[in-house]
Amino acid sequence: DPRMMEAAGRRGYELRSRAKQFEPGFLRSRSLIVAMDRENYREILRTTSDCPTNVRMFSDFLGDDWPRDVPDPYYGGVEGFEYVLDMLEAGCPKILDFLIQHSSNS
């Protein structure tokens, strides 16, 4: 979305990648899969009969003062994109810490 690209650009981020459709093989080939909302989380879990331990909600990496789901800012104004970026900036460092911690334990 150009509005997200613009909002991210104001914070110094250059967004060049594109979203990728989830594939069940990701459960085996990725060390961590992060779902942005409960609907996506349930859909990911529906693709397997196992109980994967590498699927987490983004909000698992946020404090209790954040909502459980990352809101979709598409139908709102610029402030929605700013809010999502605030969430990402709060959670992504914790995801990185989690990945570092779990890679050193492997």
Side-chain angles (χ1 to χ4, degrees):
D1 187 299
R3 296 170 295 170
M4 178 55 90
M5 292 175 75
E6 184 178 325
R10 285 192 297 273
R11 295 185 188 209
Y13 303 113
E14 183 180 350
L15 305 180
R16 291 185 278 158
S17 64
R18 297 208 180 268
K20 187 172 188 172
Q21 189 72 28
F22 177 80
E23 298 173 16
F26 291 170
L27 290 167
R28 291 183 307 280
S29 64
R30 305 298 196 274
S31 57
L32 180 64
I33 297 167
V34 179
M36 300 305 263
D37 61 45
R38 286 172 282 198
E39 182 180 346
N40 291 142
Y41 181 80
R42 284 189 297 271
E43 288 299 317
I44 291 167
L45 294 182
R46 258 185 231 147
T47 66
T48 182
S49 58
D50 296 335
C51 187
T53 58
N54 61 334
V55 180
R56 305 281 298 269
M57 289 281 298
F58 186 82
S59 57
D60 292 344
F61 300 97
L62 294 170
D64 292 337
D65 50 332
W66 291 100
R68 185 76 177 131
D69 294 329
V70 176
D72 183 351
Y74 185 79
Y75 295 105
V78 173
E79 65 280 348
F81 293 94
E82 295 293 340
Y83 184 71
V84 168
L85 286 167
D86 291 342
M87 291 181 81
L88 294 173
E89 287 179 339
C92 285
K94 294 175 185 170
I95 291 172
L96 182 58
D97 290 344
F98 175 86
L99 290 170
I100 291 168
Q101 178 183 12
H102 285 78
S103 70
S104 64
N105 292 338
S106 299

